[in-house]
Amino acid sequence: MHNIDIELVEMTLDVMKYVINRITKTAPELGQPKKEEELRSMVGDTITSAGIGGEKAFDLFKDVLIKATVPIDHPRHLAFVPASPTRAAIMFDLVTSASSIHGAYWMEGAGGIFCENEAMKWLVSLTGLPEPAFGVFTSGGTAANLSAMVTAREAWRKNTDNINEKALIITSSGAHSSIKSMAKVIDADVVLVETEDSMSATMLVNALKGLTEHQRKRLFAVVATGGTTNAGIIDDLDGIGSICEQEGLWFHVDAAYGGGALASKQARPLFKGIERANSITIDPHKWLFSPYDCGAIIYKNPELAKEAHSQEGSYLDIFKDEGAHGFNPSDYQIQLTRRVRGLPLWFSLAMHGTDKYEWAVQQGIELANLAGKIIGENPVVELVREPSLSCVLFRRKGWTPDDYRNWTYKNHRDGFALVTPTKWKNQGVYETVARFCFINPDTTESDIRAILDSMK
Ligand SMILES: Cc1ncc(COP(=O)(O)O)c(C=O)c1O
């Protein structure tokens, strides 16, 4: 298994051939999911005592299994938050795997962690957070949000009065599901400010007024969103940040999706106040063109994260020795053993430069504005709200939820596009509407027009 023989060399060449073919494809086939039994009947048993051989396993993957997946970088994949990793970043993901770097501690991963930290410095600079703010790459936005919540709660529990109190968070109903989900993980309660639109400072003040005295004592953090997943809406970060400062609350900004827009000088002012945050989530695997998985958590005061996350164990003592000194990513988030998942971003940034990143991010915003304009000129559809960041919500006049669903499935079945409906709350009532989220700079005006034509 660990031998180097001709079979291994041939397999390496096959893999390289596949990779070159895949990363030079601008419109990969839109695969379809199949039932598990169907896939099993098509590929048979793949895990056997003697092994089926690399060639056969790879053929099954190429001929059957990959076709049951949806490439997230297809230019007409505008559903959820799609992705479009740069070719440089994808190639370097291979290099990262081949290099077998342990990314937890400087002692083992110094060269790789150095690269991650160079990319992180750029990311931090986009937020405007003052020194010594810094961060680490995580497996995604959920892990980043969890790492921030744990740090915030531990900081709050430094006050011994809070040790036995169940913690409480305020966020908006437009916040991402991971906030509520991670609150469960840390056994914290959540008070929701009911708005899918921008959460304002006044809404937060009213929510604070609505708390009982005991709830106010249990409140340790406010989570604002820098670009909602559904509609790209940014909360009033400046106003909320200022209230958090007055009230002594941890201010977390979840900009997992929207944070990429900080790379655009034009969009950056929309995030005014983000520099007041105690912690910020930004996912490079969303709008900064990294392959999965790569999230990031940034702290205003990284020492608090270290106090919360640094693991102790006699087998880990060596990492705290002189000689092993350096930045240990594991001290700042929930994961110990970790891939140096910031490396593909570093390589792509180093290769292309930050100006190209700015251009590519701006392209997403421009595509959203263009789609808004085209929708405005088309009598069959109408905007539900003005495009925000790279999200566009629009309705097909006269359609029922079933029409939207059937349209999504038909386009997907035809291998044409993946655009899914969502819901938007209008005067207290949820309406099913269509949604575009642009990430891929290769999406064109004719893609947008063709998708709208498919709604006729
Ligand atoms: C605003 C926001 N926060 C958090 C997440 C969760 O990120 P991940 O899926 O990388 O865990 C998402 C995912 O879409 C998101 O849009």
Side-chain angles (χ1 to χ4, degrees), residues 268-322:
R268 212 173 296 158
L270 300 171
F271 293 82
K272 186 169 182 299
I274 198 168
E275 69 289 349
R276 304 176 98 145
N278 296 94
S279 51
I280 303 170
T281 291
I282 301 178
D283 275 0
H285 71 199
K286 292 192 168 66
W287 207 357
L288 288 172
F289 317 111
S290 283
Y292 295 142
D293 47 21
C294 184
I297 180 66
I298 298 170
Y299 302 98
K300 177 180 263 174
N301 179 357
E303 274 309 301
L304 292 175
K306 197 170 176 181
E307 284 171 23
H309 291 287
S310 186
Q311 298 191 23
E312 302 283 335
S314 42
Y315 35 83
L316 299 176
D317 281 352
I318 184 82
F319 294 120
K320 306 213 159 72
D321 257 14
E322 207 54 40

Side-chain angles (χ1 to χ4, degrees), residues 149-278:
M149 283 182 196
V150 170
T151 303
R153 194 195 44 190
E154 290 307 290
W156 172 72
R157 285 204 170 142
K158 280 184 168 185
N159 176 345
T160 48
D161 284 354
N162 296 332
I163 285 174
N164 295 316
E165 293 288 356
K166 188 173 186 193
L168 187 146
I169 292 170
I170 291 185
T171 192
S172 77
S173 49
H176 188 259
S177 50
S178 63
I179 302 299
K180 281 158 262 174
S181 184
M182 292 305 102
K184 265 192 225 156
V185 172
I186 64 163
D187 193 28
D189 287 330
V190 178
V191 167
L192 286 183
V193 171
E194 280 304 329
T195 178
E196 289 215 29
D197 228 305
S198 177
M199 176 163 66
S200 66
T202 313
M203 289 176 192
L204 175 59
V205 168
N206 289 338
L208 288 170
K209 281 188 192 146
L211 298 180
T212 63
E213 201 179 317
H214 190 216
Q215 279 178 319
R216 177 63 191 86
K217 179 171 162 45
R218 297 197 289 122
L219 177 68
F220 73 105
V222 174
V223 179
T225 308
T228 58
T229 320
N230 206 24
I233 295 165
I234 304 170
D235 289 337
D236 172 10
L237 303 181
D238 209 28
I240 294 170
S242 136
I243 290 163
C244 287
E245 277 160 25
Q246 285 161 28
E247 298 280 329
L249 294 166
W250 186 280
F251 176 36
H252 177 67
V253 178
D254 179 4
Y257 150 63
L262 290 165
S264 152
K265 282 186 212 70
Q266 231 170 298
R268 212 173 296 158
L270 300 171
F271 293 82
K272 186 169 182 299
I274 198 168
E275 69 289 349
R276 304 176 98 145
N278 296 94

Side-chain angles (χ1 to χ4, degrees), residues 9-40:
V9 174
E10 278 174 3
M11 180 54 59
T12 312
L13 295 175
D14 282 351
V15 167
M16 287 306 157
K17 207 167 116 195
Y18 170 86
V19 170
I20 292 166
N21 186 27
R22 176 62 179 85
I23 62 180
T24 51
K25 251 192 194 148
T26 47
E29 217 176 293
L30 267 182
Q32 302 279 324
K34 284 190 167 38
K35 294 222 161 73
E36 190 179 348
E37 312 87 76
E38 211 180 325
L39 288 175
R40 189 169 310 289

Side-chain angles (χ1 to χ4, degrees), residues 382 384 395 404 422-426 429-433:
E382 63 190 355
V384 169
R395 70 173 64 81
Y404 286 100
T422 187
K423 289 196 174 72
W424 179 251
K425 207 174 184 182
N426 201 2
V429 181
Y430 279 105
E431 178 191 359
T432 299
V433 298

